[in-house]
């Protein structure tokens, strides 16, 4: 039926019949589009290669940024679960009193906060002597070390009444182990435990410290209080509760929130991932311009062919379908090849670089970037072919044949 008649075009109808007709209309269009692309293999391969490189850039850079973020999060460990409470020297507070520690415990003793552990610490500096060498270290006084630290050697007492607990760095420098004797400010003390190496960074550095019972200190107040939560969210809630309770009347304490540092690091890697995706998207935009150029050249070269099709009764919709199918096939082929190449490239990097943790590369979140690149590649092909297809479908048959 010609376009000027009043009847419906093939494939147009209501309900499920219309949907089936619409699908049937695309099948010959895709078949014809594949044949047309095979007629000019070199141009088609170059266009597919452009999309392939763009998809590889988007997926590869996206996965690279995500692996960096996951690796940083894994390396940071649980530092976001700690809050260090210190006296506010600007307000004239030199130390934390027993009342301050009690107020901190009241603030976090709430089911909404999660009831984290509060470990007050005395602090001083002293020369620590081993069997053959000595070093200068921070000496802390702590009553319940097991609430905040873990032992690599020996056993942490529930209540620290006697002996010394040595940090991993001090133990390595002085060659100490559980059961050895260490000299602290001229006194000989037995080492009851050596701490596991710390995975955190904060004003309290257990690796380079020695922990003694509180009775070894004659100070009037605590130097710091360490709040240890089970998660970063709990630590943030604890910090807010402490501010409301302890600093209600005056700013008596300063809070060092490790969770805030973790958030800043995560924000940085999110920005880095977005930046890398933007770089990859530029490659896909270039590929889209390449497809646009290919389709425009194709429609110009086939102008008479399209004019003959329109003259014998092929509708604008069918011409549009064929040309859109060509652009879609280029995008789909390039996207599929780029996705496969990304998988192979990432697998090769993991195999060739032992420092890259395979578990980070296999994280399910990396699949998002593969799907994003795949969809983006197909979309670029269709969008780039839309204008040439519309232009060719709406050209008058007489003008096309006259050329």
């Amino acid at each position: 039926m010609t376009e000027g008649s009043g009847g419906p075009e093939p494939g147009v109808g209501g309900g499920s019949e219309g949907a089936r007709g619409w699908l049937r209309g695309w099948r010959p269009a895709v078949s014809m589009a594949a044949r047309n692309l095979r007629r000019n293999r070199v141009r088609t391969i170059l266009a597919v290669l452009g999309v392939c490189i763009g998809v590889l850039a988007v997926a590869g850079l996206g996965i690279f940024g995500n692996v960096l973020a996951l690796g940083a999060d894994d390396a940071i460990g649980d530092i976001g679960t700690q809050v260090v409470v210190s006296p506010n020297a600007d307000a004239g507070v030199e130390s934390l009193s027993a009342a301050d520690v009690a107020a901190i415990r009241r603030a976090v003793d709430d089911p909404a906060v999660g009831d984290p552990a509060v470990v007050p610490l005395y602090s001083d500096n002293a020369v620590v002597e081993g069997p053959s060498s000595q070093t200068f270290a921070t000496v802390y006084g702590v009553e319940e070390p097991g609430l905040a630290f873990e032992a690599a050697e020996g056993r942490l007492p529930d209540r620290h009444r006697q002996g010394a607990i040595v940090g991993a760095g001090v133990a390595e420098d002085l060659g100490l182990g559980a059961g050895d004797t260490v000299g602290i400010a001229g006194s000989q003390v037995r080492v009851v435990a050596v701490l596991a190496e710390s995975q955190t960074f904060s004003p309290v550095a257990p690796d380079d410290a020695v922990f003694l019972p509180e009775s070894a200190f004659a100070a009037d107040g605590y130097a710091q209080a360490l709040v240890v939560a089970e998660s970063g969210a709990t630590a943030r809630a604890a910090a807010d509760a402490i501010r409301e309770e302890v600093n209600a009347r005056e700013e008596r304490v300063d809070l060092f929130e490790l969770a805030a540092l973790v958030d800043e690091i995560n924000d940085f890697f999110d920005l880095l991932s977005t930046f890398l995706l933007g770089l990859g998207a530029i490659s896909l935009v270039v590929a889209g311009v390449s497809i646009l150029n290919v389709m425009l050249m194709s429609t110009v070269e086939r102008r008479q062919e399209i004019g003959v099709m329109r003259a014998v009764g092929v509708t604008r919709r069918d011409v549009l379908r064929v040309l859109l199918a060509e652009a879609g096939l280029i995008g789909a082929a390039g996207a599929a090849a780029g996705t496969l190449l990304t998988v192979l490239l990432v697998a090769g990097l993991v195999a060739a670089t032992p420092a890259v943790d395979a578990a980070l590369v296999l994280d399910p979140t990396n699949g998002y970037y593969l799907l994003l690149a795949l969809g983006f590649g197909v979309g670029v092909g269709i969008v780039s072919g839309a204008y040439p297809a519309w232009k060719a479908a709406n050209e008058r048959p007489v003008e096309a044949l006259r050329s």
Side-chain angles (χ1 to χ4, degrees):
M1 183 175 293
T2 62
E3 191 175 288
S5 63
E9 296 180 4
V12 178
S16 60
E17 287 298 327
R20 284 195 294 269
W22 184 85
L23 290 175
R24 284 196 299 269
W26 274 101
R27 289 171 187 167
V30 172
S31 177
M32 182 177 293
R35 185 199 64 186
N36 292 337
L37 293 175
R38 287 194 297 268
R39 286 163 54 184
N40 200 327
R41 296 178 185 273
V42 175
R43 185 186 297 167
T44 301
I45 290 173
L46 291 176
V48 169
L49 183 61
V51 178
C52 176
I53 294 174
V55 169
L56 174 64
V58 170
L61 292 176
I63 291 175
F64 175 70
N66 192 49
V67 168
L68 281 179
L70 293 174
D73 188 62
D74 185 62
I76 289 170
D78 295 330
I79 70 169
T81 62
Q82 295 184 4
V83 178
V84 180
V85 185
S86 305
N88 184 8
D90 294 337
V93 182
E94 299 296 333
S95 61
L96 299 178
S97 64
D100 291 330
V101 174
I104 293 171
R105 287 193 168 118
R106 282 197 307 272
V108 300
D109 186 17
D110 186 341
V113 175
D115 194 19
V118 178
V119 184
L121 300 169
Y122 291 104
S123 179
D124 202 350
N125 296 307
V127 175
V128 181
E129 300 177 359
S132 58
S133 60
Q134 63 182 23
T135 186
F136 192 73
T138 303
V139 181
Y140 290 107
V142 61
E143 183 179 13
E144 299 176 286
L147 295 179
F149 311 107
E150 295 181 358
E153 296 182 36
R155 176 182 172 274
L156 294 179
D158 296 332
R159 298 285 180 178
H160 194 190
R161 302 302 185 193
Q162 59 183 359
I165 300 169
V166 181
V170 175
E172 182 178 358
D173 292 341
L174 302 182
L176 296 172
D180 294 338
T181 300
V182 62
I184 302 175
S187 301
Q188 298 296 311
V189 184
R190 180 175 175 270
V191 178
V192 297
V194 175
L195 295 180
E197 186 175 357
S198 174
Q199 301 297 322
T200 182
F201 58 92
S202 77
V204 178
D207 288 347
D208 301 319
V210 175
F211 295 83
L212 297 176
E214 289 186 350
S215 58
F217 291 77
D220 294 332
Y222 296 100
Q224 292 161 324
L226 189 61
V227 180
V228 184
E230 293 183 356
S231 66
T234 302
R236 282 188 285 270
D240 293 339
I242 292 170
R243 288 191 184 94
E244 293 178 3
E245 177 73 23
V246 183
N247 289 343
R249 296 182 179 179
E250 61 174 329
E251 298 287 332
R252 288 193 55 82
V253 298
D254 286 329
L255 280 78
F256 183 81
E257 293 184 70
L258 297 176
L261 294 180
V262 174
D263 290 341
E264 291 183 7
I265 293 172
N266 290 334
D267 290 342
F268 167 76
F269 279 106
D270 289 341
L271 179 62
L272 177 63
S273 296
T274 303
F275 176 73
L276 292 176
L277 282 175
L279 289 179
I282 293 174
S283 300
L284 264 181
V285 170
V286 173
V289 174
S290 174
I291 294 176
L292 176 62
N293 182 50
V294 167
M295 295 303 300
L296 281 174
M297 291 177 63
S298 177
T299 54
V300 170
E301 291 176 356
R302 293 154 53 196
R303 193 178 182 193
Q304 287 186 339
E305 177 185 338
I306 295 172
V308 171
M309 292 171 60
R310 295 283 288 112
V312 299
V314 177
T315 64
R316 288 193 181 96
R317 179 179 298 177
D318 289 333
V319 174
L320 188 67
R321 280 174 176 164
V322 171
L323 296 177
L324 279 180
E326 290 182 20
L329 287 175
I330 292 175
T339 302
L340 178 60
L341 192 58
T342 302
V343 173
L344 295 176
L345 179 62
V346 171
L349 287 176
V350 172
T353 312
V356 178
D357 190 353
L360 298 179
V361 177
L362 296 176
D363 190 274
T365 56
N366 289 325
Y368 162 77
Y369 296 97
L370 290 175
L371 295 176
L372 175 65
L374 182 64
F376 200 11
V378 176
V380 163
I382 295 174
V383 171
S384 300
Y387 171 70
W390 175 85
K391 184 175 181 296
N394 285 278
E395 189 168 16
R396 295 178 61 187
V398 174
E399 296 296 332
L401 290 173
R402 183 180 299 167
S403 66

